[in-house]
């Protein structure tokens, strides 16, 4: 401290620094609130509470055993001749019967609440927060019960000035069992509830002892201050230990989530390699063999914003015109009149107007949600191809080439559109929500679309993103039904080359192995 700094200012600075340390965020990336010890992400907080539900039920069972032992001790105490000290006074008999009745009522409430919470949580009817609320009720009743057990405070509560004279015994020194009972209540609260509920309960216990000792009158008034300081120190130690243990539990939960995420990512990478090998063996090799018979089958790029495809591009050779036996160079093709949704545009965009570098709406098979993915390649092809129309049960219709890669929702492998099984396979459809819809029909169409050209579309991370494509005349993505199909970059590139390796798989071995949000 500087010589010229007033002591009150230095004290204020110290308090501010202590408050800043207490309220700072904890965790590797500040995921934990420093005061309430709650996770910033409510989903992570819900997962942590769900994982601790069984531990809370176990603590409830232990507290039930403690209460049963306390009830047995109370029964033994009241049947071992305690009344003989007060048998000469009617007030002592009345207070004894009242004490027994109140103890029975408190034990009944505590056991009923705990057993009901254990049973309801076992059937999933209440969650962790509900169990904590019931635990708070038990703790409040237990502290009242502790005060009732002390005959001095019971007599003072009913207006007797000298409880020792009423009972005929010296009641001095009974603050010790009172403090012991309150300490047990605080310890039970630390077992059953979280830090942010434990601190108010501990504070209420300290204030409860102070109120009983100073308002009702302690049997040892000279020791009240010492007992209060002693009790406060014990409560502070319990609060500190509870805070440290909960911080460690939450950091372990974060570590578990991160390890789970890395494990799932590793599984995705392994499945990506396995699925790529299967896909190339099933689709890529046949298309590569077909492409070897097409000389100069290059595609004319579609310029962004152009009203029509550039049919005069020299890259489209005459050998690639329909009617001369040319076939597609890569898996998949979509009609130019089909619609997609581009980031930053309110309405739909025709594939003929889509350009490289734009971001189209896709279904993310990794996150099980919709997101935008960048268009890596967009070409118009005139090669001859077999066309089919896929119809779904909800009325969704989409034309595509027979070799268009599609991922059935109930199958592990990617299949050609022509190999979809009506009534068996389901395809992901997005309207207001994303859900799989059963395939109703797969019908062949004339190859007239080849004469007009068709879209050869490839997006970023093709093994992960399925493009949401709708038929002609689609409006907003909320009104139109769009079908999720893989882009042409899956398995083979637009010129017969292998697609670049990706770190994500188009599907997962376990449906629930989704990387958690931390």
């Amino acid at each position: 401290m500087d010589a010229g700094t007033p002591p009150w200012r230095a004290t204020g600075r110290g308090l501010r620094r202590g408050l800043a340390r207490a309220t700072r965020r904890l965790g590797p990336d500040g995921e934990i609130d420093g005061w309430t010890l709650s996770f910033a992400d409510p989903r992570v907080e819900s997962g942590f509470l769900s994982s601790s539900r069984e531990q809370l039920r176990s603590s409830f069972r232990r507290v039930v055993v403690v209460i049963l032992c306390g009830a047995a001790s109370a029964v033994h105490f009241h049947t071992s001749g305690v009344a003989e000290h007060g048998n000469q006074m009617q007030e002592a008999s009345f207070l004894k019967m009242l004490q027994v009745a109140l103890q029975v009522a408190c034990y009944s409430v505590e056991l009923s609440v705990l057993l009901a919470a254990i049973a309801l949580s076992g059937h999933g009817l209440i969650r962790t927060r509900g169990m904590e609320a019931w635990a708070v009720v038990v703790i409040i009743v237990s502290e009242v019960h502790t005060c009732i057990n002390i005959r001095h405070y019971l007599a003072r509560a009913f207006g007797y000035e000298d409880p020792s004279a009423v009972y005929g015994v010296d009641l001095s020194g009974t603050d010790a069992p009172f403090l012991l009972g309150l300490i047990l209540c605080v310890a039970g609260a630390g077992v059953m509830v979280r830090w942010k509920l434990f601190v108010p309960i501990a504070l209420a216990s300290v204030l409860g002892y102070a109120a009983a000792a100073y308002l009702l009158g302690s049997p040892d008034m000279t020791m009240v201050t010492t007992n209060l300081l002693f009790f406060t120190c014990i409560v502070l130690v319990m609060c500190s230990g509870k805070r440290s243990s909960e911080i460690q539990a939450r950091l372990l939960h974060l570590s578990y989530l991160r390890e789970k995420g890395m494990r799932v990512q590793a599984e995705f990478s392994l499945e990506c390699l396995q699925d790529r090998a299967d896909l190339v063996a099933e689709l890529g090799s046949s298309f590569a063999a077909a492409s070897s018979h097409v000389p100069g089958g290059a595609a004319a790029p579609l310029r962004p914003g152009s009203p029509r495809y550039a049919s005069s591009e020299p890259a489209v050779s005459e050998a690639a015109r329909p009617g001369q036996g040319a076939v597609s160079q890569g898996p998949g093709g979509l009609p130019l009149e089909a619609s997609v949704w581009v980031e930053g545009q309110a309405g739909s965009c025709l594939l003929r107007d889509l350009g490289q570098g734009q971001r189209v709406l896709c279904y993310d098979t990794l996150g099980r949600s919709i997101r935008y993915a960048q268009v890596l390649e967009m070409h118009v092809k005139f090669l001859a191809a077999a066309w089919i129309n896929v119809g779904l049960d909800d009325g969704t219709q989409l034309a595509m080439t027979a070799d268009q890669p599609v991922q059935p929702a109930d199958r592990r492998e990617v299949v050609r559109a022509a190999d979809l099984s009506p009534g068996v396979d389901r395809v992901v459809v997005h309207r207001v929500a994303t859900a799989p819809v059963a395939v109703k029909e797969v019908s062949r169409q004339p190859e007239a679309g080849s004469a007009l050209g068709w879209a050869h579309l490839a997006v970023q991370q093709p093994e992960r993103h399925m493009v949401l494509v709708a038929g002609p005349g689609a409006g907003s993505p909320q009104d139109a039904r769009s079908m999720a199909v893989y882009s042409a970059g899956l398995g083979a590139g637009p010129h017969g080359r292998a697609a670049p390796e990706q770190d994500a798989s188009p599907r997962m071995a376990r449906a629930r192995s989704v990387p958690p949000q931390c």
Side-chain angles (χ1 to χ4, degrees):
M1 183 176 67
D2 297 338
T5 304
W8 59 268
R9 181 170 295 179
T11 303
R13 290 176 180 174
L15 290 176
R16 285 196 298 271
R17 285 195 296 267
L19 183 62
R21 285 195 298 268
T23 56
R24 74 181 188 274
R25 304 193 72 85
L26 305 175
D29 299 319
E31 303 95 335
I32 305 174
D33 184 84
W35 180 245
T36 63
L37 299 186
S38 299
F39 288 109
D41 191 338
R43 293 173 296 180
V44 180
E45 179 71 15
S46 298
F48 175 75
L49 294 180
S50 299
S51 64
S52 60
R53 186 187 310 171
E54 187 58 36
Q55 298 178 359
L56 189 58
R57 294 181 74 238
S58 300
S59 69
F60 276 29
R61 297 189 189 99
R62 292 193 294 269
V63 174
V64 166
V65 174
V66 172
I67 292 176
L68 289 176
C69 294
S73 301
V75 171
H76 176 72
F77 177 77
H78 287 291
T79 58
S80 61
V82 177
E84 65 186 16
H85 298 286
N87 55 4
Q88 297 178 356
M89 298 190 64
Q90 184 179 1
E91 293 87 349
S93 300
F94 167 74
L95 289 176
K96 177 190 173 183
M97 291 187 294
L98 180 62
Q99 185 180 22
V100 172
L102 292 176
Q103 284 182 341
V104 170
C106 289
Y107 280 129
S108 301
V109 171
E110 294 164 3
L111 290 174
S112 300
V113 170
L114 289 174
L115 293 176
I118 293 172
L120 293 177
S121 63
H123 291 84
L125 298 179
I126 60 173
R127 298 181 180 273
T128 305
R129 290 186 176 91
M131 296 179 67
E132 288 181 332
W134 290 42
V136 171
V137 174
V138 172
I139 293 165
I140 293 174
V141 175
S142 299
E143 294 195 348
V144 175
H145 188 188
T146 302
C147 188
I148 293 172
N149 282 335
I150 309 302
R151 289 181 291 173
H152 172 85
Y153 290 109
L154 181 64
R156 292 286 296 174
F158 280 87
Y160 295 100
E161 294 294 334
D162 189 1
S164 296
V166 173
Y167 285 99
V169 294
D170 186 9
L171 297 178
S172 60
T174 53
D175 261 2
F178 185 32
L179 285 175
L180 179 61
L182 291 178
I183 290 171
L184 291 177
C185 290
V186 174
V191 171
M192 293 190 293
V193 298
R194 286 171 290 162
W195 150 264
K196 64 181 181 181
L197 294 177
F198 175 73
V199 171
I201 291 173
L203 179 61
S205 300
V206 174
L207 295 178
Y209 172 74
Y214 286 107
L215 297 181
L216 295 179
S218 171
D220 303 300
M221 289 300 299
T222 58
M223 295 295 296
V224 170
T225 304
T226 303
N227 290 339
L228 185 60
L229 290 176
F230 175 72
F231 187 33
T232 303
C233 292
I234 291 178
V235 168
L236 289 176
V237 171
M238 288 185 176
C239 290
S240 177
K242 177 65 177 178
R243 177 181 173 87
S244 299
S245 63
E246 185 167 338
I247 289 175
Q248 292 299 320
R250 290 179 178 271
L251 291 177
L252 286 175
H253 185 70
L254 284 178
S255 176
Y256 164 74
L257 293 181
R258 285 190 170 86
E259 290 179 2
K260 182 179 179 181
M262 290 187 291
R263 184 174 66 251
V264 172
Q265 292 286 359
E267 291 176 0
F268 288 155
S269 300
L270 290 176
E271 288 190 19
C272 179
L273 295 176
Q274 296 172 359
D275 295 338
R276 187 184 305 281
D278 296 340
L279 186 62
V280 170
E282 183 179 353
L283 297 176
S285 59
S286 61
F287 292 120
S291 301
S292 62
H293 300 286
V294 183
L302 191 64
R303 302 178 185 274
S306 60
R308 197 69 180 164
Y309 57 82
S311 59
S312 60
E313 289 287 334
V316 181
S317 66
E318 293 298 326
R321 294 292 181 182
Q324 299 188 17
V327 296
S328 173
Q329 290 178 316
L334 299 167
L336 293 176
E337 301 301 325
S339 302
V340 294
W341 287 270
V342 179
E343 185 178 24
Q345 298 184 13
S348 60
C349 174
L350 297 180
L351 286 178
R352 68 168 68 255
D353 299 326
L354 185 67
Q356 182 177 350
Q358 293 181 294
R359 293 168 58 84
V360 295
L361 191 65
C362 300
Y363 176 69
D364 183 4
T365 59
L366 177 62
R368 308 288 179 179
S369 60
I370 59 172
R371 58 176 295 177
Y372 288 97
Q374 185 179 8
V375 176
L376 299 181
E377 296 185 25
M378 175 62 202
H379 300 279
V380 174
K381 287 193 174 184
F382 297 95
L383 305 177
W387 285 83
I388 62 169
N389 183 73
V390 178
L392 307 182
D393 281 347
D394 64 348
T396 304
Q397 300 279 338
L398 183 62
M400 61 189 75
T401 58
D403 55 19
Q404 172 65 40
V406 181
Q407 172 68 66
D410 301 325
R411 297 167 63 177
R412 288 179 52 84
E413 67 274 5
V414 179
V415 302
R416 302 189 322 145
D419 296 333
L420 290 172
S421 301
V424 177
D425 290 330
R426 296 190 301 166
V427 179
V428 174
V429 173
H430 175 74
R431 190 177 182 184
V432 178
T434 304
V437 179
V439 177
K440 183 178 181 180
E441 60 177 357
V442 179
S443 58
R444 293 197 172 273
Q445 298 232 334
E447 299 183 7
S450 300
L452 300 175
W454 45 274
H456 184 96
L457 172 64
V459 298
Q460 187 180 21
Q461 291 185 308
E463 293 87 355
R464 174 176 178 175
H465 299 122
M466 292 195 291
V467 185
L468 296 175
V469 185
S476 65
Q478 290 78 16
D479 299 329
R481 294 186 181 92
S482 53
M483 191 181 304
V485 297
Y486 278 115
S487 68
L490 186 72
H495 302 292
R497 64 179 182 272
E501 291 288 338
Q502 304 293 339
D503 293 332
S505 170
R507 55 192 175 275
M508 299 168 54
R510 294 187 297 273
R512 295 189 179 182
S513 296
V514 180
Q517 302 290 333
C518 295

